[in-house]
Amino acid sequence: MSVRDARVAGVVAGYLLDFTLADPSRGHPVALFGAAAARLERRTYRDSRAAGVAHVALLVGLVGLLGATVQRRTGSALATAAATWVSLGGTSLSRTGSRMAELLDNGDIDAARRLLPSLCGRDPAALDAAGLTRAALESVAENTSDAQVAALLWAAIGGAPAVLGYRAINTLDAMVGYRSPRYLRFGWAAARLDDLANYVGARVTAGLVVVCAPLIGGSPGAAVRAWRRDANRHPSPNAGVVEAAFAGALGVRLGGPTQYRHELQIRPTLGDGRTPMVADLRRAVRLSRMVQAGAAVVAAGPAWQAGQRRRP
């Protein structure tokens, strides 16, 4: 089996493991990495960009080296499968989004507020049912790219070192990539590197949203219009692309005042439909699942075709 064929097998196996088993319930490697990064931050933190660059470079470099070492010792297929599985979060995302919809349908706002940090970093205490619905839907959209599509693409491109490095970057962005007084400078490198790492994945995600929109009764044309018209107004070069495409496909309006623990952001409006309801959140979860499956095909397809062309 060629390296490329082994990588394809690993990507598909990793996706299927996430689909059937979701994230490991205990001792998740990403959680262990986050704990180690937090401990290291106590030593590396300085209120400067240079310190943030060093912090990110050290952690991402070590994770990439670990992935390369494991891949050399176990083979590309096994290493890529394991690294892809632990790096993906699509099934957990879908389950959490569905659980949020269930709680909101039942009117259990307190439980929905407790669940929201599993999806995003917004301040749940400041949100009512409508705000929780919008926050959950936007998070399902953004994390479809971050937690699934981009990770699958990096696994297909570079195997275990690439997908583990990507997950390290994404985790560091979630930890320090804020515009708060503490992290404005120290977190700059993590935030910018995450923007680069997710650039292609976000646009592949939006394209898959357009393709999959009719499967949930959505509009591919509206998804394209919202993507082209509204995405560039979002402060994130990637989240805006994905959230706008979801908004157009679902016929809802996203964006507006967004309360984080460290600041209130006034986000631009994405889409021109109605205020999202719980039924729209459920549709967003279904759309996310379809996009995730499409991403597995996109990630594995070109490499598999190349392998077929090499065979006599």
Side-chain angles (χ1 to χ4, degrees):
M1 181 185 293
S2 70
V3 172
R4 182 173 291 184
D5 289 343
R7 192 178 298 160
V8 171
V11 170
V12 173
Y15 166 76
L16 292 175
L17 283 169
D18 178 70
F19 182 80
T20 55
L21 302 178
D23 295 325
S25 58
R26 293 184 180 180
H28 196 300
V30 175
L32 297 176
F33 170 81
R39 287 195 297 271
L40 181 64
E41 184 186 331
R42 292 196 287 269
R43 295 180 175 272
T44 59
Y45 179 81
R46 303 289 187 278
D47 189 16
S48 73
R49 287 186 176 183
V53 169
H55 180 74
V56 171
L58 177 60
L59 286 165
V60 174
L62 287 173
V63 168
L65 181 61
L66 174 64
T69 301
V70 171
Q71 187 162 286
R72 283 197 302 271
R73 292 183 177 181
T74 65
S76 183
L78 181 59
T80 300
T84 301
W85 176 38
V86 302
S87 297
L88 295 180
T91 296
S92 293
L93 173 66
S94 299
R95 291 176 180 176
T96 305
S98 295
R99 177 60 179 160
M100 177 66 77
E102 180 183 347
L103 292 172
L104 292 171
D105 262 340
N106 293 335
D108 196 343
I109 302 301
D110 289 339
R113 286 173 175 157
R114 289 193 296 270
L115 182 62
L116 187 66
S118 299
L119 288 170
C120 62
R122 302 184 194 184
D123 183 3
L127 299 176
D128 58 9
L132 290 164
T133 301
R134 194 198 105 198
L137 200 158
E138 290 174 353
S139 297
V140 166
E142 181 178 0
N143 285 307
T144 298
S145 176
D146 289 1
Q148 192 79 4
V149 178
L152 285 168
L153 294 176
W154 279 110
I157 291 168
V163 71
L164 291 178
Y166 165 76
R167 179 49 62 203
I169 292 168
N170 194 245
T171 302
L172 289 171
D173 177 60
M175 295 179 69
V176 304
Y178 295 104
R179 296 179 180 179
S180 63
R182 176 176 173 85
Y183 291 125
L184 184 62
R185 284 177 283 274
F186 183 78
W188 173 84
R192 297 291 77 76
L193 192 57
D194 185 71
D195 287 342
L196 290 173
N198 279 294
Y199 188 86
V200 172
R203 283 144 187 85
V204 171
T205 302
L208 289 170
V209 168
V210 173
V211 171
C212 296
L215 301 178
I216 50 94
S219 169
V224 171
R225 286 194 298 273
W227 174 6
R228 296 180 61 182
R229 183 190 65 208
D230 299 333
N232 289 337
R233 298 189 289 132
H234 195 281
S236 167
N238 300 322
V241 169
V242 180
E243 290 178 21
F246 263 79
L250 295 168
V252 299
R253 183 177 66 256
L254 301 177
T258 303
Q259 180 66 57
Y260 291 93
R261 288 184 172 87
H262 60 277
E263 68 174 343
L264 173 66
Q265 294 183 7
I266 306 301
R267 295 285 180 85
T269 299
L270 306 174
D272 50 14
R274 63 185 178 277
T275 300
M277 300 180 293
V278 176
D280 297 310
L281 175 56
R282 294 188 186 279
R283 292 171 65 220
V285 171
R286 294 202 306 273
L287 179 58
S288 174
R289 287 173 175 156
M290 293 170 187
V291 169
Q292 292 172 34
V297 174
V298 169
W304 182 82
Q305 290 176 356
Q308 290 294 102
R309 287 196 297 270
R310 289 197 304 270
R311 294 187 179 94

